[in-house]
């Protein structure tokens, strides 16, 4: 039986993190159900110059990820479709990552607003006690945002800020290496194997290319 990971992309800056997570899941042979919020479409366009459209999602996703999706198990659900599979707890999924997670998405999930499929899917996975990873990028943060993140933590989510480490590639790390570090931490939290960054070995600068 198909059991995908749900990836929700909100409108926060940081769409390269989402692309790296999706690529990592596909590289691991996982199925992916994708939900892209209306605001995220604007952010993808702004950060990549590429559109993301419901009617052309497959081609737009391939262009965004920079790879051919032939053979990839990806299903796309429009954010306005509140009758979509991931809106129900009886729809089998392994869990969900919300990456990047805007302050609005964090607030909506924390209070159970379910204003769109992204928020509803996250709430469903929390109530079903499945893994949920939320990746906030906003900085600095307000008290209300911190309170929503605490509420998400208390509800069972892993709150994983988009804060890359430099020990994998050093101070001269490229932007992609820093993105991959965060994506790798997301995959770690989901329990998905990857090779996106060099793990700490206990030795300074060990195996650093």
């Amino acid at each position: 039986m198909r059991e995908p990971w749900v990836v929700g992309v909100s409108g926060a800056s940081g769409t390269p993190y989402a692309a790296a997570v999706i690529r990592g899941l596909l590289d691991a042979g996982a199925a992916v159900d994708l939900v892209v919020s209306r605001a995220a479409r604007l952010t993808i366009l702004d950060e990549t110059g590429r559109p993301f459209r419901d009617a052309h999602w497959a081609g737009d996703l391939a262009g965004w990820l920079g790879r051919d999706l032939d053979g990839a198990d990806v299903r796309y659900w429009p954010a306005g479709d509140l009758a979509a599979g991931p809106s129900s707890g009886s729809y089998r999924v392994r869990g969900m990552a919300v990456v990047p997670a805007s302050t609005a998405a964090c607030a909506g999930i924390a209070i159970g607003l379910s204003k769109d499929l992204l928020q509803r899917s996250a709430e469903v996975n929390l109530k079903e006690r499945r893994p949920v990873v939320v990746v906030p990028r906003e900085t600095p943060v307000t008290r209300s945002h911190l309170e929503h993140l605490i509420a998400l933590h208390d509800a069972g989510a892993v709150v994983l800020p988009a804060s890359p480490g430099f020990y994998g590639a050093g101070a001269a790390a490229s932007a992609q290496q820093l993105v991959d570090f965060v994506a790798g931490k997301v995959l770690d939290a989901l329990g998905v194997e990857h090779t996106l960054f060099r793990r700490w070995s206990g030795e300074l600068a060990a195996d650093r290319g």
Side-chain angles (χ1 to χ4, degrees):
M1 179 180 292
R2 184 177 185 272
E3 243 184 332
W5 291 101
V6 181
V7 177
V9 186
S10 80
S13 176
T15 57
Y17 296 120
V21 168
I22 296 168
R23 285 193 294 264
L25 289 171
L26 296 179
D27 288 344
V32 173
D33 274 20
L34 179 63
V35 181
V36 178
S37 76
R38 292 180 63 186
R41 298 185 200 184
L42 297 176
T43 309
I44 292 170
L45 180 62
D46 180 60
E47 294 184 345
T48 72
R50 294 182 176 276
F52 195 95
R53 301 159 291 182
D54 286 348
H56 305 281
W57 71 266
D60 291 347
L61 178 61
W64 178 30
L65 299 183
R67 64 167 57 182
D68 192 336
L69 294 178
D70 286 348
D73 188 351
V74 182
R75 182 176 295 173
Y76 173 70
W77 301 96
D81 184 2
L82 290 175
S87 70
S88 172
S90 65
Y91 181 76
R92 296 293 296 272
V93 303
R94 300 181 66 180
M96 182 172 184
V98 183
V99 53
S102 66
T103 55
C106 290
I109 298 166
I111 67 174
L113 188 60
S114 291
K115 77 162 197 171
D116 61 12
L117 182 60
L118 186 153
Q119 293 183 16
R120 172 60 183 168
S121 298
E123 182 183 3
V124 164
N125 279 283
L126 287 172
K127 78 180 182 68
E128 297 294 331
R129 299 296 190 264
R130 299 173 185 144
V132 175
V133 180
V134 177
V135 185
R137 194 223 50 83
E138 187 82 9
T139 184
V141 295
T142 63
R143 180 185 179 89
S144 63
H145 187 36
L146 289 171
E147 290 172 345
H148 290 139
L149 295 179
I150 291 171
L152 289 171
H153 173 273
D154 291 348
V158 174
V159 177
L160 197 157
S163 302
F166 286 80
Y167 59 79
S174 68
Q176 190 60 56
Q177 286 173 312
L178 298 178
V179 166
D180 284 346
F181 184 93
V182 172
K185 295 293 283 186
V186 173
L187 297 177
D188 280 353
L190 295 177
V192 176
E193 292 294 325
H194 68 88
T195 57
L196 288 175
F197 60 78
R198 182 185 66 83
R199 297 185 182 279
W200 179 249
S201 66
E203 299 180 28
L204 295 177
D207 301 323
R208 183 178 296 159

